[in-house]
Amino acid sequence: MFPEKIMALSRRPLQTQPLALRARWVLPVSGSPLRDAAVNIFQGRIVAVGAVLPGALVEDLGDVAIVPGFVNAHTHLEFSDIRQPIGFQGIGMVEWLRLVIERRGESPASGRSPVEMGLDESFRFGVGTIGEIGQPGLRQDDYRQSSCDGVAFIELIAPRADRVAAALEIARQHLSAGLVGQWQPGLSPHAPYTVHPELLERAVRLSVEYRVPLAMHLAESREELEFLRDGSGPFRELLEARGAWDATAWPRGSRPLDVLRVLARADRAVVVHGNYLDAEEIAFVADHRENVAIVYCPRTHAWFGHERYPLEAMLSAGATVALGTDSRASSPDLSLLAEMRHIAREFPAMNRATILELGTLHGARALGREDEIGSLEPGKLAQLAVVDLPDGSVADPHELILDGDHPVVETRSI
Ligand SMILES: [Zn+2]
């Protein structure tokens, strides 16, 4: 547990008896669904799941399911004030990036910060923990005041060798500032087309030195594979137009596996998207599941009209596959439950319990928080989402939340 979190908990009035939250269903993720059951909480931690503990104060939440707080393993909250995704369904990555870069050049609207808006929205949607990629100079107060926690990755960009030193300075400043409220710092070398291999190598070393995670977009588009392999295509054109092309960066014939091999030496690495990883690369990620995970962003994937996501192949290889919304620049909102429901529609044969596991326990594992969150188990933090349930009974109660459209009615982070 992060020290700030311990302090936050200890400031609360001391709980003298367990609180038992009762519901029609409790879906612990780490075990079978429990009907008419309770989650017993004492001083911020889950102490028992199932029957109400003797002497507990009972709070009956009614016709709802209690599930672990969702983990949004990848987003960029700086875009949370965008009302609808940028561009159009099926837009190419490079065209979309041009529009995003244009928007970044605009002065921010007055009022609440987009990050603060995104954190509030996330919490309303049942998200307790976030893998957030922020810009250098991020406002620490936005994160400190949120009910969510997670990893605040700082974005690092240096496509040319002569820009690496400046990016590393940003990385060091972010890491030496330490925890941001309840948030652990992390580094995000952005993507192969914006990161010189020297920056990636040095970021990996910093990850080991400071014991912090890295997050990197990888194998997101076919154009990126072309860029790595041949140094040509729309990404090269984009870099040349911006004076950022460096012919000495990635050797011809490079592929995502070359990047994965470097990332696997980090303390922990989150591979964002991985839409076009091949079988050998998926096997590599699975073999390194101790410290390497993938994040699938289902509705963003659909926005760009990518080829079918290799989700089944990743899971059968044994990879950790967390879920993310990505930002509101490519997704309609920050609801991780909506992402899981999207998977249920796209992969109708997939086990519903597995889908919930991706959005909770796999996310916790990806961010290195598996000991604290991701399932309803004694000893873990009482970070819960409460989902309203439709009438009727089904063979598998996971269907009630994943195949329906009832909302999250409450998020608790006690
Ligand atoms: Zn992203």
Side-chain angles (χ1 to χ4, degrees), residues 82-85 121 299-300 325 327-328 330-335 339:
I82 293 179
R83 286 165 190 269
Q84 55 192 30
E121 180 183 342
R299 291 182 300 167
T300 287
T325 57
S327 78
R328 266 175 164 269
S330 57
S331 181
D333 57 46
L334 300 173
S335 167
E339 301 293 348

Side-chain angles (χ1 to χ4, degrees), residues 2-63:
F2 306 139
E4 273 79 355
K5 189 128 196 170
I6 295 171
M7 282 174 59
L9 291 173
S10 63
R11 277 196 297 270
R12 296 200 179 96
L14 205 61
Q15 198 181 337
T16 52
Q17 63 186 127
L19 173 67
L21 298 176
R22 252 180 40 191
R24 181 170 142 213
W25 283 104
V26 173
L27 306 178
V29 173
S30 50
S32 304
L34 303 164
R35 197 186 164 98
D36 297 322
V39 178
N40 296 272
I41 296 162
F42 189 61
Q43 294 180 357
R45 299 243 167 209
I46 297 168
V47 288
V49 180
V52 171
L53 284 182
L57 182 71
V58 178
E59 189 179 339
D60 195 343
L61 301 179
D63 206 6

Side-chain angles (χ1 to χ4, degrees), residues 74-76 96 133 190 217 220 272-273 297 300 326-327 330:
H74 177 64
T75 186
H76 309 251
W96 179 84
I133 298 187
H190 173 256
H217 300 82
E220 184 172 5
V272 180
H273 302 304
C297 301
T300 287
D326 216 331
S327 78
S330 57

